[in-house]
Amino acid sequence: MKIIYKDGVVAECPEEQKLQVIRHTAAHIMAQAMKRLHPEVKLAIGPSIENGFYYDFDTPRPFTPEDLTE
């Protein structure tokens, strides 16, 4: 798997970093999807963690199950 570093260099991702890179990318994709579905959402923090990833959102109201089934 190739990755792009901050300085623009494209290189093979070290094996021990692959899962963290995938989780980091997944957090960005989830944040982008939430902004498309709910433009009023403000993005907070969304790191990859040991068991996956998460993203904190600042919303005018809590999400409901119906919001997440679109």
Side-chain angles (χ1 to χ4, degrees):
M1 170 171 98
K2 299 229 184 240
I3 58 174
I4 302 172
Y5 290 93
K6 288 180 183 180
D7 62 3
V9 172
V10 177
E12 192 64 32
C13 182
E15 190 65 36
E16 66 276 4
Q17 292 180 8
K18 285 183 179 180
L19 186 55
Q20 187 276 334
V21 168
I22 291 168
R23 289 174 175 164
H24 178 89
T25 302
H28 283 286
I29 293 168
M30 183 176 68
Q32 185 178 41
M34 290 303 292
K35 288 295 285 183
R36 286 184 182 179
L37 291 171
H38 304 282
E40 72 282 3
V41 165
K42 293 180 183 154
L43 304 178
I45 187 169
S48 60
I49 56 175
E50 184 178 342
N51 297 342
F53 64 92
Y54 72 93
Y55 223 106
D56 289 332
F57 300 104
D58 182 9
T59 63
R61 63 173 177 75
F63 290 124
T64 66
E66 292 77 25
D67 291 324
L68 304 176
T69 59
E70 294 180 12

